[in-house]
Every structure is written in structure tokens, then in C-alpha cells.
Amino acid sequence: MGFTWTVVALIVVLAIAWRFLGSYMVSVYEGRTRWLAFAERPVYRLIGIDPAAEQPWPRYAASMIVFSGVAIGASYLIFRLQGHLPFNPQHLPGVTPALAWNTAVSFVTNTNWQAYSGETTMSYLSQMGALAVQNFLSAAVGIAVAVALIRGFSRKSSKTIGNFWVDLVRGTLYVLLPSAFVFAIVFVAQGALQTLAGPVHIQDLLNGVKQVVPRGPVASQEVIKQLGTNGGGFFNANGADPFENPTGLTNFLSISLILCIPVGLTYTFGKMVGSVRQGAAILGVMAIIFGSWLAIASV
């Protein structure tokens, strides 16, 4: 696919995401979409919250800070203890304290600074149970805060802006998990790795060189990395690694996935404040900035 047609296809995909994903997120965060209620209700019972009880902004913000603090602590412990935990076929030792803390804070805050080589530093459990989980949860937190801000604009006389725990659960269950599941299957079908088997040891008979080819649960992490506008791929080379991004289709999907939720949220904003024009105006500004940098990069 040529560059021009790739851009055209991307615009079409994002236009669909703007209208339909944006509308779907309105339905999700207004509580009208309940097709996963059977999974949603037990989570509320487990964490002990009333989904009908809304929070004023200080309580909403405090809930977010507490949740993020617990997530940092849990991720840090997994990194530090990975040498004693399962799903570590390479027998990698625990991550050093400074790197474990930096990575935990980075992934929980959705900044995803990767100051390490993934395939030689993180066990499969760390990749799945900490990094990939935070790729879901930090994205869900970000969307929840955006929706809470939108409610702040639309509810001029209200003292509440929703419930953080409800927004977190619904964003994860209804938006991120289903999309990541579907596209992970596409990535696997295209050749991205998805296995719990250890690395492959190859003997080059011609040159007499032994090579270790790392493997792991790659596709599932790659998709949510993009969908949640995260970083930190399974491999050090990230999306440049053919085991993580094997074909032109997966490359196109990666670009589309990383843009679809930010684009869709502009429609969500417009519908929730009662003026789609305002959402379109935000999208227009985004498009101008993106188009300008794309033009510079394409020269």
C-alpha cells in the first residue's frame, strides 16, 4: 500500500472510530451499555463500592491516587521478586530497585519509559502481570479522568463527577479488553508471537555460531500497548521487531489503534456536553497539529 493510500485508509478508520467508538464510549460511561454486567457486578462487590454512588471531585481524585499508589507497589514487588516467581523460563533475576521503581511509576502513570531491554530483563510474569496489566489500567485511568473532566463541563450545577471505580471498571471491561482481545488474535494470525514457551536456541551450522531467539506472550502486550497509547514493548526494539510487528497490516493497525481512542474521545466530549460541534472543533485542532508534523516528517 502506497503512502497516499495508507493515509487515506487511516483517515477512514479514524473517522469511523470518531463516530462509532466515540458514541460507544458515551453509552459505556453513561451506564447504558451493560452487556458485560455479569462480569462488572462481581468486581464492585469485591472492592466494596456502590456503583450508583457518585463522588465529588476531591473523592474522585483521592480514589485515583490511592489506586495508582497500590498499582505502583504491586508492580514494584513483581519486578523485584520475579526471580522467585513462576513464568520465568530464562531464570532472570529480580530487577534492581532503581529500575523497578522507575518502571513501576512510569507504567502506572502511562508514560511508559523503557530504560531496559525487555527480553533480557523482564520475566513473562513481569511482562504480563505488571507491564501489560498497567497498559490496561493506566489507560483506563486516563480515559476515566478525561470523562470526569467532561462531566465537569456538562454538569454545571452538580457537585459530583461520577465514580472513579465505576469508570475504571467500565473502561477496562467494555472498551479496552474486548478491543485488545480481537486485535491480539489478528496480530497472532499475522505472525506475532504469543507463547509461554522459553527462548529458542539455534545452532548456525555454517558459521558455528549459537543464537538465542527470545519468545513470549508478545501479541497480547503489543495490542494494548498501542490501544492504550502506552509504550514499552515486549522487545527492546519495540514495534521495529518482526516478532512484535510482523507485517504491513499489523503496522497499520498499530498506528490506527494508538489514535482511535483519543480521536473517539472528541466525539464523546461533544455528545456529553451537548454540542458535537465542540468535539469536532477539538478534533480539528488535533488534525491540524498531526497533519503539520506528518507533512514535515514526509518531506
Side-chain angles (χ1 to χ4, degrees), residues 114 119 187 192 218 221-223 225-226 230-255 258:
Q114 193 171 16
E119 63 269 42
F187 270 65
V218 179
Q221 183 166 326
E222 176 67 9
V223 170
K225 178 188 84 172
Q226 305 294 3
N230 299 290
F234 190 94
F235 297 107
N236 185 48
N238 279 281
D241 193 297
F243 292 144
E244 197 167 318
N245 182 22
T247 68
L249 176 59
T250 59
N251 195 63
F252 177 77
L253 288 175
S254 295
I255 298 170
I258 204 168

Side-chain angles (χ1 to χ4, degrees), residues 185-256:
I185 293 174
V186 175
F187 270 65
V188 171
Q190 288 291 300
L193 289 178
Q194 185 68 22
T195 180
L196 292 177
V200 176
H201 298 266
I202 299 175
Q203 176 72 49
D204 187 338
L205 298 178
L206 183 62
N207 298 311
V209 176
K210 292 183 179 180
Q211 182 178 2
V212 179
V213 179
R215 298 187 295 178
V218 179
S220 55
Q221 183 166 326
E222 176 67 9
V223 170
I224 189 57
K225 178 188 84 172
Q226 305 294 3
L227 182 64
T229 65
N230 299 290
F234 190 94
F235 297 107
N236 185 48
N238 279 281
D241 193 297
F243 292 144
E244 197 167 318
N245 182 22
T247 68
L249 176 59
T250 59
N251 195 63
F252 177 77
L253 288 175
S254 295
I255 298 170
S256 302

Side-chain angles (χ1 to χ4, degrees), residues 72 75 79 99-116 131 134-135 138 230-232:
I72 289 172
S75 299
F79 297 146
L99 181 59
W101 179 255
N102 178 79
T103 305
V105 172
S106 179
F107 273 74
V108 170
T109 57
N110 202 244
T111 46
N112 306 97
W113 171 247
Q114 193 171 16
Y116 58 89
L131 303 182
Q134 291 311 317
N135 279 347
S138 66
N230 299 290

Side-chain angles (χ1 to χ4, degrees), residues 6-7 9-11 13-18 21-22 25 223 225-230 251-267 283 286-287 289-291 294:
T6 301
V7 173
L10 179 62
I11 292 172
V13 169
L14 294 181
I16 294 171
W18 180 75
L21 178 59
M25 286 192 288
V223 170
K225 178 188 84 172
Q226 305 294 3
L227 182 64
T229 65
N230 299 290
N251 195 63
F252 177 77
L253 288 175
S254 295
I255 298 170
S256 302
L257 288 171
I258 204 168
L259 293 172
C260 64
I261 289 180
V263 166
L265 277 172
T266 63
Y267 186 88
L283 178 64
M286 292 166 57
I289 295 173
F290 177 78
L294 181 65

Side-chain angles (χ1 to χ4, degrees), residues 14-66:
L14 294 181
I16 294 171
W18 180 75
R19 176 61 181 81
F20 294 102
L21 178 59
S23 179
Y24 175 69
M25 286 192 288
V26 173
S27 179
V28 166
Y29 288 102
E30 288 184 348
R32 291 183 280 110
T33 296
R34 302 302 304 274
W35 60 279
L36 287 173
F38 68 91
E40 187 180 352
R41 287 191 295 266
V43 176
Y44 298 144
R45 287 197 294 269
L46 180 65
I47 59 180
I49 64 107
D50 178 6
E54 293 203 349
Q55 300 171 311
W57 76 261
R59 185 75 178 271
Y60 195 104
S63 298
M64 183 198 69
I65 292 170
V66 168

Side-chain angles (χ1 to χ4, degrees), residues 63-148:
S63 298
M64 183 198 69
I65 292 170
V66 168
F67 175 78
S68 298
V70 171
I72 289 172
S75 299
Y76 177 82
L77 287 176
I78 291 174
F79 297 146
R80 294 286 292 127
L81 299 174
Q82 71 175 14
H84 306 285
L85 297 174
F87 300 108
N88 187 7
Q90 294 171 280
H91 306 290
L92 296 171
V95 181
T96 60
L99 181 59
W101 179 255
N102 178 79
T103 305
V105 172
S106 179
F107 273 74
V108 170
T109 57
N110 202 244
T111 46
N112 306 97
W113 171 247
Q114 193 171 16
Y116 58 89
S117 177
E119 63 269 42
T120 59
T121 305
M122 298 294 180
S123 70
Y124 292 177
L125 181 64
S126 293
Q127 296 272 19
M128 295 185 298
L131 303 182
V133 166
Q134 291 311 317
N135 279 347
F136 277 99
L137 296 180
S138 66
V141 169
I143 300 171
V145 171
V147 170

